[in-house]
Amino acid sequence: MDNQLIHQNQKIFSLLATATARFRGLPVNSNLSDFLPPGELDEKMLFRQASYHKVIQDVHSQQSTSLFSSLSEAMRKAIAQRNLLELSAKLMLAGQWQQVSRALLVNGIQALVMKGPASSLQFYGDASVRGFTDLDILVDAFNLTSVIPVIEETGYRLKGDSIPYTPKRYVQTPHHLVFTRDDSPFRIEVHNELFEGNQDQDYTLGRLFERTVVMQWNSVALPALSAADHALFMISHGTHHGWRLLHWLVDVAAILRVKDQGFHEELSEKLNKSRLNRQFALACSLRRDVFPVPIPPEYEMLPGNFY
């Protein structure tokens, strides 16, 4: 990779991080400004990276500021169109979730939403702030195949549904099914475990559903994991994927800035019990280089921290 390309990547990441911090009311590391001098900007790379890191809305919110003063009119229109498309799709998904949740309840299957609009509501106060491209659902169903005909009643189809339904089909992925719909840009992923293979009795389906919280998403009821359970899952998920997306680092900053001592005490206990304290410390270290949100004191005593 030549020096010019490295500089473009640094500049674009700094632009995306700064736009995201401003949109979501977070501090941003002042060192990032070193990569923001005026100059030629690879607009196609900017668009691709904003889409990849799921921060199109953040960029769109800052188009009229000095951050993006050099953008061409064509690129401004492209970003605005993508942002409108994403917001419209999220509104449509709220209605589709209502259909799916009703169908599951009619058949005696409890369901709640993970990540996506649920974590966006819990940690940003708005279901549309956080970017998402699918809807993750946790169902209280021991046999995950039992949800297939129920969800297919709503117009979704099991991905690759030309393969006959046989027990062998689910040997490799017994706790995760993916559904798509021709008229929807989103897919639905259905799970019946929060942490695959975890034997901790505090994370059985029964215990998780006992702690369900219900929020509102465009006047649609949105049951979700408790805030602490959700934060723990987001930390585990980001760690699993190597924290490669900017919007996962933003989530860490959003978790840290929650103004609720009880939440931080509960999450600290869960991190220690789940042995995710070192992974959380790593995430905080990575986040510090971009979004310097203070570490609440509840985490300072965790074993293995290196804040």
Side-chain angles (χ1 to χ4, degrees), residues 153-283:
E153 287 175 7
T154 69
Y156 277 88
R157 291 290 177 265
L158 188 68
K159 191 174 181 181
D161 62 352
S162 59
I163 303 173
Y165 297 151
T166 64
K168 289 184 179 180
R169 180 177 179 183
Y170 304 103
V171 168
Q172 292 182 321
T173 56
H175 304 293
H176 179 206
L177 296 176
V178 177
F179 295 83
T180 59
R181 182 167 161 166
D182 291 341
D183 62 350
S184 175
F186 293 96
R187 64 183 191 175
I188 289 180
E189 297 190 16
V190 183
H191 311 256
N192 66 351
E193 280 189 345
L194 186 61
F195 303 110
E196 189 171 346
N198 191 315
Q199 302 299 313
D200 191 327
Q201 291 303 301
D202 200 37
Y203 297 102
T204 62
L205 289 172
R207 294 297 300 276
L208 288 167
F209 276 90
E210 284 175 6
R211 298 194 291 269
T212 298
V213 296
V214 181
M215 302 174 288
Q216 292 295 314
W217 179 21
N218 296 325
S219 302
V220 176
L222 186 71
L225 295 165
S226 72
D229 285 336
H230 222 153
L232 188 71
F233 176 68
M234 291 161 71
I235 292 161
S236 174
H237 183 74
T239 299
H240 177 73
H241 291 286
W243 299 104
R244 68 176 183 267
L245 294 187
L246 178 62
H247 89 143
W248 290 332
L249 287 182
V250 184
D251 286 342
V252 176
I255 289 168
L256 292 174
R257 74 168 176 180
V258 170
K259 305 297 184 183
D260 183 341
Q261 182 180 349
F263 162 80
H264 292 296
E265 289 174 348
E266 183 180 357
L267 178 57
S268 177
E269 182 179 344
K270 287 178 180 291
L271 286 165
N272 197 33
K273 187 176 181 182
S274 302
R275 298 181 181 178
L276 283 170
N277 43 299
R278 289 183 180 273
Q279 290 87 332
F280 181 61
L282 173 61

Side-chain angles (χ1 to χ4, degrees), residues 113-131:
V113 175
M114 308 185 297
K115 302 186 298 178
S119 58
S120 190
L121 268 170
Q122 283 179 318
F123 297 105
Y124 300 102
D126 185 328
S128 67
V129 168
R130 190 176 185 274

Side-chain angles (χ1 to χ4, degrees), residues 96-114:
Q96 292 175 351
W97 155 248
Q98 189 174 39
Q99 284 183 290
V100 170
S101 62
R102 284 176 175 172
L104 290 168
L105 283 174
V106 165
N107 285 272
I109 301 171
Q110 292 188 83
L112 57 78
V113 175
M114 308 185 297

Side-chain angles (χ1 to χ4, degrees), residues 40-113:
E40 186 176 346
L41 180 66
D42 187 328
E43 294 187 347
K44 291 183 179 179
M45 183 186 292
L46 172 70
F47 189 83
R48 288 196 303 269
Q49 291 294 328
S51 301
Y52 174 72
H53 289 287
K54 301 182 182 179
V55 293
I56 281 286
Q57 185 177 193
D58 307 69
V59 171
H60 178 260
S61 74
Q62 302 299 312
Q63 280 199 105
S64 61
T65 70
S66 60
L67 275 181
F68 299 101
S69 59
S70 66
L71 280 186
S72 67
E73 191 59 31
M75 181 51 63
R76 292 177 188 277
K77 288 182 179 178
I79 291 171
Q81 289 172 352
R82 174 61 68 87
N83 180 61
L84 181 60
L85 179 65
E86 290 186 1
L87 289 175
S88 299
K90 289 174 182 177
L91 286 173
M92 179 176 67
L93 187 61
Q96 292 175 351
W97 155 248
Q98 189 174 39
Q99 284 183 290
V100 170
S101 62
R102 284 176 175 172
L104 290 168
L105 283 174
V106 165
N107 285 272
I109 301 171
Q110 292 188 83
L112 57 78
V113 175

